Amino acid sequence: MKCFYYFKDKSRSRQQRSAPELKEKSRDDYSEADRITKSSCSETSPRGIPELYKEKAHNLRVFSFSELRNATSDFSRLLKIGEGGFGSVYKGSIKPVGGKGEPTVVAIKKLNRDGLQGHKQWVAEVQFLGVVEHPNLVKLIGYCGVDGERGIQRLLVYEFMQNKSLEEHLFDRAYPALAWKTRLQILLGAAQGLAYLHEGLEVQVIYRDFKSSNVLLDENFKPKLSDFGLAREGPVAGRTHVSTAVVGTYGYAAPDYIETGHLTTKSDVWSFGVVLYEILTGRRSLERNRPRVEQKLLEWVKHYTPESKKFGLIIDPRLENQYSISAARKIAKLADSCLLKSAKDRPRMSEVVESLKQIIQDSDEGDSPKKSFESCETDSADSSKKPNQPEATESWKRRMVHLAKLGENVEGAASRRRFMIMQRAKVP
């Protein structure tokens, strides 16, 4: 990321600050950009995020540190709802401007006080979220930036997302499994958020850190992208990529970006493909506690192509077969297109959005939930053995299932013997 400095007005040290601003580009910044080649975006407008931010900065509320300390009961551990390398997130309650009216529940991110990198990401979030506006992007309400006797304080205030992150609902067994249709709607919303960043603004924005933990869910499980600390302006007219230091999360970063440092919107598309497979399988992109051949998600799913008969084996077992197998195959094919080795061959996010809409429509119009592979095998085997006795076969199967359940509670050798005799007799 390019260098930031704390605030434009250096004379106002140790005071509450106005809206944070980016440093003017230096000659070194431009020489870095000059290593980039042809672009398809931002050809008609030279304005970047800093210029756009100046127009909208007044929409953000500037909080005092004491306001946010009171809102979180002095950053009580009981109100902590998240933690990461950046710092901690607390649930809080803020009063309206002027103090009249009902308080609003919010999420307050308090950055660690040490390190320039945290400050850079804080400024990036304020500026990017101060410009963007979309139903599938988390709303930034305001911020607090103070250089005081206790050191640097950097805080961000967001709308509160009641259902936390997609990551928690996919991988934390403490949460109920996400239903198939809910998963599809989450994918669509997240894709629409990325498409807006790539193609819906005056300036192109590359998110650079798309992953399941950065997809937050509101009370209706509507997804919103969060954490814009690593976001970056896309290439300007005449360029195809931005050359930058490689940052992001292992397992989600595109290999071409890792190898070359060339950042494009197709880097986000790769990351989206990884999350598509996480949604399908219920597995993280990297899981060290699994057998070696299953630790890397993308390597594992290669053995179960969308066209293969074994494809169903990779689907999240927590779905309990309540999903559309044809829709799942289409999702996997879409993921594979997002994960193509050549970045230029990957679809644009607007194309991904249209594909997801079509998949959801086809699924709603008549795709029945997938019948379990095991029960299909059983049905075909039974029908081949007893083709003229379908009713008797079904009656016998039901009776045996009932007896098996009773057998689980049978105690004593005599009871077990009686159960085995009945099982051999195949009571009709």
Side-chain angles (χ1 to χ4, degrees):
M1 298 180 69
K2 289 179 183 164
C3 294
F4 295 69
Y5 75 111
Y6 288 172
F7 292 91
K8 187 173 183 180
D9 186 358
K10 290 283 188 176
S11 64
R12 298 173 60 193
S13 62
R14 298 184 183 277
Q15 297 177 17
Q16 182 68 28
R17 306 291 185 159
S18 58
E21 298 187 12
L22 284 169
K23 185 180 79 171
E24 294 297 321
K25 287 185 177 180
S26 66
R27 181 176 299 177
D28 289 341
D29 292 330
Y30 283 112
S31 64
E32 176 184 314
D34 286 340
R35 296 195 296 270
I36 327 176
T37 56
K38 170 90 188 144
S39 171
S40 59
C41 73
S42 302
E43 293 186 2
T44 60
S45 172
R47 298 201 305 170
I49 290 295
E51 291 79 13
L52 296 173
Y53 174 72
K54 288 177 182 177
E55 295 180 0
K56 297 187 176 183
H58 64 276
N59 295 326
L60 296 178
R61 183 172 166 184
V62 182
F63 292 90
S64 67
F65 183 71
S66 60
E67 280 183 285
L68 300 186
R69 184 169 55 195
N70 293 334
T72 58
S73 299
D74 199 14
F75 303 103
S76 169
R77 289 182 176 273
L78 297 176
L79 294 176
K80 184 183 288 190
I81 56 176
E83 190 167 10
F86 55 81
S88 301
V89 180
Y90 300 85
K91 182 178 181 180
S93 179
I94 59 171
K95 297 178 181 178
V97 177
K100 295 182 179 180
E102 293 296 320
T104 302
V105 176
V106 295
I108 300 173
K109 181 191 289 187
K110 184 175 185 289
L111 276 70
N112 294 327
R113 286 187 288 180
D114 53 340
L116 178 61
Q117 190 63 29
H119 173 77
K120 291 179 179 180
Q121 294 185 12
W122 175 78
V123 175
E125 278 216 73
V126 172
Q127 296 225 331
F128 279 104
L129 285 176
V131 170
V132 301
E133 187 175 356
H134 189 271
N136 295 114
L137 304 181
V138 71
K139 181 181 178 181
L140 180 67
I141 297 172
Y143 62 89
C144 171
V146 179
D147 297 346
E149 295 179 357
R150 295 187 177 182
I152 298 172
Q153 299 287 357
R154 299 288 182 264
L155 300 98
L156 298 164
V157 182
Y158 308 91
E159 63 177 315
F160 181 71
M161 301 295 285
Q162 186 170 327
N163 279 309
K164 298 190 176 182
S165 72
L166 172 61
E167 177 187 51
E168 288 166 295
H169 287 273
L170 281 179
F171 311 127
D172 189 338
R173 293 302 186 262
Y175 292 88
L178 285 172
W180 175 246
K181 287 188 176 181
T182 303
R183 297 185 191 212
L184 295 185
Q185 291 299 329
I186 290 172
L187 284 174
L188 177 59
Q192 289 172 326
L194 282 177
Y196 165 78
L197 294 176
H198 293 177
E199 304 171 40
L201 285 162
E202 192 173 325
V203 61
Q204 188 182 73
V205 175
I206 303 173
Y207 186 51
R208 203 158 52 152
D209 200 22
F210 184 81
K211 55 186 177 181
S212 52
S213 62
N214 280 344
V215 179
L216 301 186
L217 306 171
D218 69 9
E219 66 275 12
N220 298 315
F221 285 88
K222 179 179 179 179
K224 299 191 181 189
L225 306 189
S226 68
D227 200 342
F228 278 68
L230 299 182
R232 182 71 184 264
E233 280 188 48
V236 296
R239 318 290 183 182
T240 57
H241 62 266
V242 177
S243 293
T244 179
V246 177
V247 297
T249 304
Y250 185 80
Y252 296 93
D256 49 297
Y257 171 48
I258 295 173
E259 292 168 6
T260 66
H262 293 173
L263 182 67
T264 71
T265 56
K266 297 301 181 71
S267 306
D268 286 344
V269 174
W270 172 281
S271 303
F272 190 82
V274 176
V275 174
L276 281 172
Y277 267 121
E278 287 187 330
I279 284 272
L280 281 179
T281 64
R283 295 192 180 196
R284 297 179 185 273
S285 61
L286 181 66
E287 295 188 357
R288 297 291 189 190
N289 61 336
R290 291 188 179 274
R292 184 178 294 272
V293 294
E294 298 184 20
Q295 289 180 1
K296 295 181 179 179
L297 176 61
L298 298 186
E299 293 296 323
W300 176 61
V301 297
K302 285 180 180 178
H303 302 291
Y304 304 89
T305 61
E307 299 83 6
S308 70
K309 293 182 179 179
K310 294 182 179 180
F311 172 74
L313 297 177
I314 71 171
I315 304 300
D316 187 354
R318 298 182 75 206
L319 283 168
E320 297 181 341
N321 299 317
Q322 297 304 305
Y323 66 95
S324 163
I325 184 63
S326 63
R329 293 183 191 276
K330 292 173 185 176
I331 292 291
K333 290 179 181 178
L334 179 60
D336 290 342
S337 70
C338 293
L339 296 167
L340 289 172
K341 184 176 181 180
S342 175
K344 61 182 176 59
D345 293 334
R346 298 168 200 156
R348 292 180 291 116
M349 282 309 305
S350 57
E351 296 172 325
V352 172
V353 167
E354 293 308 311
S355 295
L356 286 170
K357 286 181 178 178
Q358 189 61 53
I359 291 171
I360 292 172
Q361 180 180 334
D362 294 345
S363 183
D364 289 343
E365 285 179 354
D367 243 349
S368 58
K370 173 185 175 290
K371 195 173 185 181
S372 76
F373 180 74
E374 292 79 12
S375 65
C376 287
E377 281 196 329
T378 304
D379 288 349
S380 60
D382 287 337
S383 60
S384 63
K385 291 179 182 178
K386 302 183 181 182
N388 298 322
Q389 301 177 9
E391 293 183 3
T393 298
E394 289 300 316
S395 174
W396 174 78
K397 285 167 60 181
R398 288 195 298 271
R399 189 69 61 85
M400 290 309 299
V401 169
H402 177 64
L403 289 174
K405 289 182 178 179
L406 292 176
E408 292 174 359
N409 299 319
V410 172
E411 296 181 359
S415 295
R416 284 196 294 273
R417 282 197 298 273
R418 285 197 299 272
F419 175 72
M420 294 301 297
I421 292 171
M422 294 173 69
Q423 192 174 37
R424 290 195 207 97
K426 296 184 179 179
V427 179

